[in-house]
């Protein structure tokens, strides 16, 4: 590309301006990171309410750190817009829009919509980066032709790259800066310039040979988690059948200093990534290779059946206490998909609540981060975590063990606790606590 030297110079001098399309968790995190690194940034989103609040300094995106947002906002280098003309001034445009699954197939409509918007404003000399998680080939085969409908050519007139967001929401140890960044470009020049841009914000950039490679790196990472969680879940079922404590087995295996990484059982997989991203890969392998990604599809099956397994184990625990699920009051603690975050997307706790409710239980829930949710179409408000609520429940089921729960107090007052997460660990809180 002709203007590469100019773009390189402006990145190094931080005079390059950045537009980030999609102001969800990923896009807002990138916008904040770029503003903190002294770039001028505009965050573009189709959601007017979100944009209006962000403009006023109101953080309305779960998972983004309040301090990170406040600091970037105070820098006055970050603005927000719903108008695609905001892209006109941007030297670097990043696309961070959702990639859901619809009918077991990738739904690229948001990527297509964002790429079309970019195509209408594209001029020569820009760098366009896709950050949304997707299957290999999306950047080259879906985004590139849309951008080239502008009459400009990738590699010759503008640069096109892919860089997956890898951040783990709620993780206090790893953030945008200290999580290495994978970058793959349509040309070595595109990889180099995108790597230079991310290098201003993150400690380590890992260039790879192509957009397709970078796309698959992200899917490998999430498929790896999905499969290992399935292994832990199936191990939990087997251990229960043969009367061995799965938690003790995993912890003991984890003392091996090499060749083993502990994964723990749980109620299934939740959140925006782990249940969704591997489905992109399974779909693509079927489409392009005409075969099943067998280990991945087996993991999907195992994890999908966990809510039913957990609901059955809660029923068994009630049965052992001479009670039936029908008519029992079950207080679920923790409905978000993971500890200490409020994200309930794809949360298996909700699937478990639905199942118990269908079996006739009177379900209640408490979660410090969630005020209300839908159970079989009915809106359920959070109950208090009071002594009355705990003693009034036939079973208290800890499905997500938020760190602020006072476990000893719960064990002291509850008639029966089902501990799905081994929240009590090696403590022995008595016979009233049943572990998965
Ligand atoms: N949330 C995570 O932990 C995480 C981590 C890594 C990767 N990802 C991936 O990053 C991508 C974005 O995820 P997210 O969690 O930030 O999504 P999100 O749903 O939180 O936010 C996406 C935003 O994009 C906006 N949007 C949709 N279409 C648009 C368009 N055409 N133009 C402008 N704005 C548009 C939406 O209004 C929304 O505000 C997805 O592909 C996701 O899989 C997410």
């Amino acid at each position: 590309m002709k203007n590469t030297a100019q773009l390189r110079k402006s990145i190094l001098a931080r005079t390059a301006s950045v537009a980030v399309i999609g102001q969800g968790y990923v896009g807002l995190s990138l916008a904040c990171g770029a503003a903190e690194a002294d770039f001028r940034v505009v965050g573009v989103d189709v959601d007017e309410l979100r944009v209006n609040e962000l403009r006023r300094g109101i953080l309305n995106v779960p998972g983004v750190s309040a301090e990170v947002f406040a600091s970037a906002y105070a820098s006055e280098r970050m603005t927000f817009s719903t108008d695609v003309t905001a892209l006109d001034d941007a030297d670097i445009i990043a696309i961070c829009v959702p990639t859901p699954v619809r009918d077991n197939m990738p739904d690229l409509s948001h990527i297509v919509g964002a790429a079309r918007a970019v195509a209408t404003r594209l001029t020569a000399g820009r760098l366009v980066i896709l950050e949304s998680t997707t299957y290999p080939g999306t950047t080259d085969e879906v985004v590139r032709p849309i951008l080239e409908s502008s009459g400009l050519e990738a590699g010759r007139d503008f640069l096109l790259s892919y860089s997956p967001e890898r951040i783990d929401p709620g993780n206090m140890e790893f953030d945008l800066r200290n999580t290495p960044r994978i970058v793959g470009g349509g040309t070595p020049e595109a990889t180099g310039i995108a790597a230079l841009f991310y290098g201003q914000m993150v400690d380590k950039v890992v260039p790879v040979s192509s957009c397709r490679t970078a796309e698959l790196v992200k899917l490998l990472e999430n498929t790896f988690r999905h499969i290992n969680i399935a292994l832990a879940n199936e191990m939990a079922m087997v251990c229960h059948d043969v009367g061995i404590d799965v938690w003790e087995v995993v912890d003991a295996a984890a003392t091996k200093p090499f060749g083993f990484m502990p994964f723990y059982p749980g109620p299934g997989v939740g959140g925006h990534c782990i249940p969704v991203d591997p489905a992109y890969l399974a779909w693509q392998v079927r489409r392009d290779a005409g075969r099943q990604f067998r280990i991945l599809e087996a993991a999907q099956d195992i994890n999908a059946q966990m809510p039913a397994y957990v609901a059955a184990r809660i029923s068994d625990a009630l049965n052992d206490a001479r009670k039936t699920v029908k008519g029992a009051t079950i207080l679920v603690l923790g409905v978000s998909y993971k500890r200490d975050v409020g994200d309930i997307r794809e949360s298996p706790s909700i699937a478990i609540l639905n199942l118990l409710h269908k079996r006739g239980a009177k379900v209640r829930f408490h979660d410090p981060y969630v005020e209300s949710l839908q159970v079989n179409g009915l809106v359920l408000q959070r109950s208090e975590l009071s002594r009355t609520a705990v003693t009034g429940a036939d079973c208290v089921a800890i499905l997500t063990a938020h760190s602020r729960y006072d476990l000893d107090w719960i064990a002291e007052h509850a008639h029966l606790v089902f501990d799905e997460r081994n929240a009590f660990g090696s403590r022995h809180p008595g016979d009233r606590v049943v572990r998965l």
Side-chain angles (χ1 to χ4, degrees):
M1 187 180 76
K2 264 193 253 145
N3 326 30
T4 308
Q6 176 60 32
L7 189 53
R8 180 184 297 278
K9 235 164 106 184
S10 65
I11 291 172
L12 288 170
R14 311 285 212 274
T15 52
S17 61
V18 180
V20 182
I21 305 181
Q23 289 297 286
Y25 173 74
V26 170
L28 185 58
S29 300
L30 176 64
C32 291
E36 283 289 277
D38 276 350
F39 291 102
R40 271 180 304 116
V41 192
V42 57
V44 180
D45 203 291
V46 288
D47 182 339
E48 279 190 24
L49 179 69
R50 177 162 281 185
V51 165
N52 285 336
E53 291 192 338
L54 290 172
R55 271 185 183 142
R56 287 187 281 139
I58 300 169
L59 175 60
N60 50 15
V61 181
V64 175
S65 140
E67 296 88 74
V68 168
F69 176 70
S71 163
Y73 185 79
S75 75
E76 297 188 355
R77 285 187 292 274
M78 189 166 66
T79 55
F80 300 94
S81 177
T82 52
D83 189 347
V84 287
T85 59
L87 303 178
D88 291 354
D89 293 332
D91 301 296
I92 298 163
I93 300 171
I95 300 175
C96 308
V97 294
T99 42
V101 170
R102 188 158 305 175
D103 300 330
N104 282 325
M105 284 170 61
D107 172 3
L108 296 189
S109 58
H110 300 280
I111 290 186
V112 168
R116 283 188 183 143
V118 175
T120 62
R121 318 305 306 177
L122 196 61
T123 53
R126 318 274 198 95
L127 166 66
V128 181
I129 307 163
L130 179 64
E131 278 209 9
S132 304
T133 305
T134 185
Y135 61 82
T138 307
T139 311
D140 292 339
E141 291 152 24
V142 178
V143 175
R144 181 176 173 169
I146 296 173
L147 298 182
E148 291 187 339
S149 68
S150 64
L152 300 171
E153 191 183 312
R156 186 191 68 190
D157 303 312
F158 67 95
L159 301 175
L160 180 59
S161 302
Y162 179 81
S163 178
E165 168 60 86
R166 303 166 105 184
I167 290 215
D168 180 19
N171 190 323
M172 305 308 265
E173 194 184 344
F174 293 104
D175 57 16
L176 186 79
R177 176 155 287 284
N178 64 3
T179 306
R181 187 43 98 146
I182 304 292
V183 176
T187 57
E189 200 177 33
T191 309
I193 294 292
L196 184 72
F197 168 58
Y198 285 108
Q200 313 305 306
M201 290 175 278
V202 301
D203 296 339
K204 185 173 179 191
V205 178
V206 184
V208 296
S209 60
S210 64
C211 297
R212 297 169 70 84
T213 304
E215 287 161 335
L216 189 54
V217 169
K218 172 76 186 176
L219 294 189
L220 170 62
E221 289 166 4
N222 284 356
T223 301
F224 173 87
R225 278 191 71 73
H226 197 102
I227 289 171
N228 280 287
I229 292 168
L231 174 62
N233 283 336
E234 190 149 42
M235 190 59 83
M237 294 186 241
V238 168
C239 281
H240 181 64
D241 290 342
V242 298
I244 297 172
D245 181 339
V246 66
W247 308 97
E248 190 184 357
V249 172
V250 177
D251 282 342
T255 60
K256 190 179 179 191
F258 47 86
F260 185 83
M261 182 191 279
F263 279 81
Y264 295 94
V269 286
H272 189 47
C273 296
I274 305 298
V276 176
D277 304 347
Y280 271 58
L281 190 53
W283 172 86
Q284 193 192 32
V285 169
R286 276 181 184 269
R287 186 195 68 170
D288 295 353
R291 65 187 191 85
Q292 268 181 283
F293 198 139
R294 285 179 298 165
I295 191 168
L296 165 53
E297 295 196 12
Q300 288 174 314
D301 283 347
I302 293 163
N303 288 330
Q305 79 182 48
M306 279 315 283
Y309 179 75
V310 172
R313 289 285 308 275
I314 292 173
S315 308
D316 291 349
L318 280 165
N319 189 49
D320 289 344
R322 299 173 194 281
K323 289 181 179 172
T324 57
V325 180
K326 200 177 180 83
T329 299
I330 300 176
L331 173 64
V332 163
L333 301 187
V335 293
S336 62
Y337 82 94
K338 71 188 248 193
R339 183 183 164 98
D340 299 338
V341 300
D343 193 344
I344 57 169
R345 287 179 291 183
E346 312 285 332
S347 173
S349 300
I350 296 175
I352 295 167
L353 277 163
N354 286 338
L355 287 166
L356 294 170
H357 181 252
K358 271 192 190 139
R359 290 183 192 178
K362 291 179 216 144
V363 292
R364 317 268 183 263
F365 86 93
H366 175 274
D367 191 303
Y369 306 98
V370 183
E371 282 174 16
S372 67
L373 48 81
Q374 293 228 348
V375 174
N376 293 326
L378 303 169
V379 177
L380 193 64
Q381 299 295 335
R382 169 171 69 197
S383 66
E384 283 187 351
L385 189 52
S386 60
R387 190 171 167 159
T388 320
V390 170
T391 53
D394 296 294
C395 177
V396 175
I398 302 173
L399 297 189
T400 298
H402 294 302
S403 51
R404 61 168 82 165
Y405 283 141
D406 181 345
L407 298 169
D408 292 330
W409 179 84
I410 292 164
E412 189 188 331
H413 296 291
H415 298 294
L416 170 67
V417 178
F418 183 79
D419 180 5
E420 158 64 40
R421 300 282 191 171
N422 193 25
F424 288 91
S426 54
R427 277 181 284 174
H428 294 288
D431 293 347
R432 282 179 298 166
V433 177
V434 176
R435 281 188 299 176
L436 177 75

